[in-house]
Amino acid sequence: MDRLFVYGSLKANGIAHNLIQGAEREADGVLEAAELIEVSGYPMLRSGSAEVRGEVYRIPVSRWPALDDWEDAPEVYQRRKRELKDGRSVWVYEAP
């Protein structure tokens, strides 16, 4: 199972958390060289000079298609591999 770093609607109290309900939550993480902007009322991650804190989950392979659909990947968001400050490798949905 791959890790997913979440920072908005997929977080524990977010409106789309049900998409990852039951996924194993790990320790929260920090993504460097990033920033959050708002697009159409939703947070969007993009490259920047700040740090973004978020939750980290182990996602079963079967859930990735639904997550990509929710995030409109690759049209609106792109799923990319990034490294957290603590060295863990995660997928993130971010601006193209």
Side-chain angles (χ1 to χ4, degrees), residues 2-13:
D2 286 337
R3 291 181 182 100
L4 175 64
F5 176 84
V6 300
Y7 53 85
S9 62
L10 292 169
K11 287 176 73 173
N13 292 322

Side-chain angles (χ1 to χ4, degrees), residues 30-96:
V30 176
L31 189 62
E32 297 178 300
E35 64 183 8
L36 289 178
I37 59 171
E38 188 174 309
V39 176
S40 301
Y42 291 95
M44 180 179 272
L45 187 81
R46 69 176 183 190
S47 294
S49 59
E51 293 182 341
V52 175
R53 297 184 182 283
E55 299 170 357
V56 179
Y57 293 88
R58 288 261 185 193
I59 304 296
V61 172
S62 62
R63 297 219 184 143
W64 288 108
L67 290 166
D68 287 346
D69 284 347
W70 169 257
E71 298 289 357
D72 289 326
E75 291 80 21
V76 177
Y77 292 83
Q78 294 199 350
R79 181 162 43 110
R80 293 192 178 118
K81 266 295 194 194
R82 299 277 303 266
E83 188 172 302
L84 296 178
K85 193 173 187 176
D86 64 13
R88 287 181 289 170
S89 180
V90 295
W91 286 102
V92 297
Y93 287 101
E94 62 183 14

